[in-house]
Amino acid sequence: MTELTHAIASTHQVFNQPPPLENYNAFHGDRMLQYWLRVFGAKWAEPRLMEFGHQVGHELLQAGFQANKHIPEFLPHDRFGHRIDQVDYHPAYHQLMQAAITAGHTHLPWTMQEPGTHVARAALAYLHNHADPGSGCPLTMTFASVPAIQTQPDVASCWLPGILSGHYDGSNKPWYEKVGLTIGMAMTEKQGGSDVRANTTVAVPVGQPGAGQLYSLLGHKWFCSAPMCDGFLMLAKVEDQLSCFLVPRWREDGSKNPIHIQRLKNKLGNRSNASAEIELRGAHGWLVGEQGRGVATIIQMVALTRYDCMIGSSALMAQAAKEAIWHTAGRSAFGRPLHLQPLMLNVLADLALEAEASLAISMRIAHALDNMQDAQQAALVRCATGIGKYWVCKRAVLQTFEAMECVGGVGYVDENVCNRLYREAPVNSIWEGSGNVQCLDLLRVLSRESDCLNALIAELEAARGRHPLYDRRLEQTLAMLVQTESLEYAARHILQHLALCWQAATLLLHGEGWIAEAFVRARLGQSSLQFGCLPEGINTQAIVERLLVRIDNRTAG
């Protein structure tokens, strides 16, 4: 009977299951990221990224799981009944914030005078997303707030030292008592959504009116991300003119600014990050920029957060592909490693190609941000960011699902990172302007700013002659731009073609030749965008090997 019991129990031994992808250096194990970092001039940042990559693959990876398991808790009042509007986070969230800010996520391009600082900072953001995309939200907003706040020098002189300090202070106390500050944003109102002209929040001067002066805000915001940030950029109407304000959580006298949190959102993903509905009941805030120039002021922040949506989605796509490749490489099916089975190899290579093309254009924008003194690069940022934000963020939803399917049922459960990647993917497409908004914004820019259209065309034309399939698709795409009577109706179709051409052009001009060839044939030589439909003759095994993380004594250290 004992032998029978032992025989039955032995069937429960776990085999043909790989270990989790953990305890490795996320930077050293990512040859794709290393390649694009060097192409766009930030090789100098490799020691910094190696150190941060070690944290991401070890303790921060575990912190990401903890921060998503123990989600933020809203405490409207203390035990005595005082209104406190406090959100408590798990210690793992603060660990993630501390590590990212120390590494330079929020300030590197603003505080270093090296070439390629935006590229290096993009790599930091990409790696941090591997640990936890949710905490990336306040990190992104803090980084992106700087150009908008600089619009108002007197306000900037008080706030920027804390924003750029490289220190994190998650304590709940006034901003002027802290060394390190974080910044959030609250634009959306329930009646308007993306149409901020429908905002009803109003502001009146506390004393003297004018830029840099203190105002009192009355109204509401439907989405306020990271409500424990030290200050928030908001829009409110002054005499019916939409204006921008920096609204702190604490007033100058040490009292709580009346930003009343109504509730925290229960979200599909982005769970480690709190998103709140707030009421402004006479909340004090400084007018940033001129009255009536609110959109022009805050759009400087929005443009950079849209760019970070590209980086974030690129990171989700790369991590999803790496998880799928890692998992299938550790399993066998029908007598051979699963990742070498022809059909699975087709799918995995396709996921790897998509991840590389998305990272390539994200780093291309980072390179342009590093060269904003060049008018053509600045114009490219203004138009191409919307193209990338539209396309990369939408593809991430499909990519993370396909990767989860490769992993199978074990990828569907909460304990697996693939589950989180899939739930996280839609937010970057929705946040900071959904797909239609990106399309319409791009059409407005291209019609009103000829330098943007010229910069975009020059970027695409630079790759002409590199591949016949590219040349043919480029001609088709450029022809679409002159069909002015149907531009708005066909905007999504046009953006898709522009995105694919831009990805192909970036790979042809800056990528490895064999990767560029595979992408052009896969995306421009056939009509299907379904993953796993690569044409024959592509070296799928080499593409998969490029993204396969290897853990040995060197990469795990």
Side-chain angles (χ1 to χ4, degrees):
M1 191 67 176
T2 302
E3 291 181 2
L4 178 60
T5 303
H6 178 73
I8 293 172
S10 69
T11 66
H12 292 278
Q13 292 179 353
V14 177
F15 63 96
N16 200 25
Q17 285 283 354
L21 179 54
E22 58 185 21
N23 298 323
Y24 72 109
N25 190 306
F27 176 71
H28 192 283
D30 196 322
R31 284 161 286 178
M32 182 177 71
L33 177 61
Q34 293 168 28
Y35 177 85
W36 290 102
L37 184 81
R38 294 166 185 166
V39 161
F40 289 124
K43 189 180 188 315
W44 58 266
E46 286 186 353
R48 179 189 295 261
L49 292 165
M50 192 71 76
E51 180 182 351
F52 190 58
H54 174 87
Q55 295 178 63
V56 167
H58 289 80
E59 61 267 25
L60 295 185
L61 190 67
Q62 300 309 317
F65 277 103
Q66 291 299 308
N68 280 274
K69 180 179 180 180
H70 304 284
I71 61 176
E73 180 184 5
F74 172 42
L75 304 174
H77 301 85
D78 68 11
R79 61 183 178 274
F80 300 109
H82 302 114
R83 182 102 198 188
I84 57 174
D85 291 292
Q86 183 171 322
V87 179
D88 285 346
Y89 296 88
H90 189 270
Y93 173 89
H94 297 293
Q95 181 184 359
L96 289 157
M97 293 288 291
Q98 174 74 53
I101 290 176
T102 301
H105 191 310
T106 55
H107 61 86
L108 196 65
W110 315 129
T111 56
M112 286 192 69
Q113 298 301 315
E114 291 282 347
T117 51
H118 275 287
V119 173
R121 186 259 165 194
L124 285 169
Y126 170 96
L127 289 171
H128 181 83
N129 267 272
H130 282 56
D132 174 51
S135 53
C137 180
L139 295 168
T140 281
M141 292 188 295
T142 302
F143 157 73
S145 70
V146 173
I149 293 174
Q150 284 176 331
T151 303
Q152 193 59 48
D154 49 353
V155 174
S157 66
C158 296
W159 281 80
L160 287 189
I163 294 169
L164 303 178
S165 68
H167 292 280
Y168 172 66
D169 185 345
S171 62
N172 186 15
K173 60 185 180 183
W175 63 274
Y176 45 83
E177 296 180 6
K178 293 186 175 187
V179 175
L181 303 176
T182 55
I183 301 296
M185 178 168 50
M187 291 176 64
T188 305
E189 297 187 6
K190 61 191 76 172
Q191 74 282 353
S194 297
D195 183 8
V196 295
R197 293 171 301 179
N199 282 8
T200 58
T201 298
V202 296
V204 295
V206 173
Q208 290 294 317
Q213 297 300 317
L214 204 60
Y215 282 69
S216 177
L217 280 70
L218 183 68
H220 75 280
K221 299 295 175 182
W222 187 230
F223 268 92
C224 176
S225 293
M228 291 300 283
C229 285
D230 297 291
F232 307 89
L233 285 178
M234 300 183 188
L235 295 177
K237 289 181 178 177
V238 181
E239 299 175 352
D240 209 37
Q241 291 183 309
L242 209 55
S243 306
C244 182
F245 295 87
L246 176 58
V247 182
R249 277 200 307 110
W250 295 82
R251 287 185 174 179
E252 295 288 279
D253 61 3
S255 63
K256 193 184 79 66
N257 210 9
I259 305 171
H260 291 184
I261 298 174
Q262 301 303 305
R263 62 169 175 166
L264 297 186
K265 304 284 192 180
N266 294 317
K267 299 174 292 184
L268 170 67
N270 207 246
R271 293 180 179 177
S272 64
N273 173 49
S275 297
E277 296 172 27
I278 61 173
E279 294 281 352
L280 305 167
R281 301 185 180 181
H284 285 183
W286 295 276
L287 177 59
V288 178
E290 295 301 319
Q291 179 176 318
R293 296 282 296 166
V295 173
T297 301
I298 207 168
I299 201 67
Q300 299 173 86
M301 183 178 184
V302 172
L304 288 173
T305 54
R306 286 177 175 176
Y307 149 69
D308 262 21
C309 286
M310 289 178 62
I311 298 170
S313 289
S314 297
L316 293 176
M317 295 166 82
Q319 189 177 11
K322 283 183 273 191
E323 288 285 343
I325 293 169
W326 172 266
H327 186 85
T328 55
R331 286 177 62 81
S332 62
F334 309 109
R336 66 191 301 186
L338 179 55
H339 79 301
L340 297 180
Q341 293 285 1
L343 186 54
M344 180 60 78
L345 201 54
N346 192 326
V347 174
L348 295 173
D350 212 352
L351 294 174
L353 277 179
E354 190 75 25
E356 179 132 11
S358 298
L359 178 60
I361 61 172
S362 297
M363 294 299 248
R364 175 66 185 93
I365 287 292
H367 179 62
L369 286 167
D370 278 320
N371 294 276
M372 291 290 279
Q373 73 282 358
D374 182 324
Q376 184 166 317
Q377 298 300 307
L380 184 69
V381 169
R382 293 201 302 277
C383 62
T385 303
I387 298 172
K389 203 270 190 189
Y390 171 83
W391 185 247
V392 172
C393 297
K394 285 194 176 299
R395 293 293 285 176
V397 179
L398 300 174
Q399 170 110 348
T400 51
F401 157 71
E402 194 69 58
M404 185 166 57
E405 186 175 298
C406 291
V407 174
V410 72
Y412 191 70
V413 300
D414 281 351
E415 293 89 342
N416 193 291
V417 72
C418 287
N419 171 302
R420 189 203 312 164
L421 298 178
Y422 179 62
R423 285 187 282 105
E424 197 74 37
V427 69
N428 286 330
S429 189
I430 297 169
W431 191 48
E432 297 299 15
S434 58
N436 283 359
V437 171
Q438 302 307 314
C439 291
L440 296 175
D441 280 355
L442 179 66
L443 293 184
R444 278 193 290 269
V445 168
L446 295 182
S447 65
R448 297 176 183 176
E449 302 182 39
S450 59
D451 59 331
C452 288
L453 179 59
N454 293 336
L456 179 60
I457 292 175
E459 182 82 359
L460 301 179
E461 287 284 0
R464 189 187 287 275
R466 300 291 181 109
H467 200 290
L469 289 175
Y470 175 79
D471 291 353
R472 184 176 67 187
R473 181 63 68 90
L474 179 59
E475 287 297 329
Q476 295 170 350
T477 303
L478 294 178
M480 294 178 187
L481 294 175
V482 300
Q483 303 298 320
T484 55
E485 69 280 356
S486 59
L487 273 181
E488 184 171 327
Y489 184 80
R492 285 189 173 221
H493 187 58
I494 294 169
L495 249 72
Q496 174 178 312
H497 279 262
L498 286 171
L500 290 173
C501 281
W502 182 31
Q503 286 180 319
T506 305
L507 292 172
L508 287 167
L509 291 168
H510 306 289
E512 298 194 65
W514 59 286
I515 295 289
E517 170 74 19
F519 182 85
V520 170
R521 289 187 58 204
R523 297 293 184 267
L524 306 185
Q526 57 185 28
S527 59
S528 176
L529 290 175
Q530 178 73 25
F531 290 114
C533 298
L534 294 177
E536 292 188 15
I538 288 176
N539 191 345
T540 52
Q541 187 168 340
I543 294 171
V544 169
E545 288 290 325
R546 177 177 169 80
L547 213 59
L548 176 61
V549 177
R550 289 177 175 82
I551 299 180
D552 53 34
N553 290 335
R554 197 156 52 99
T555 60

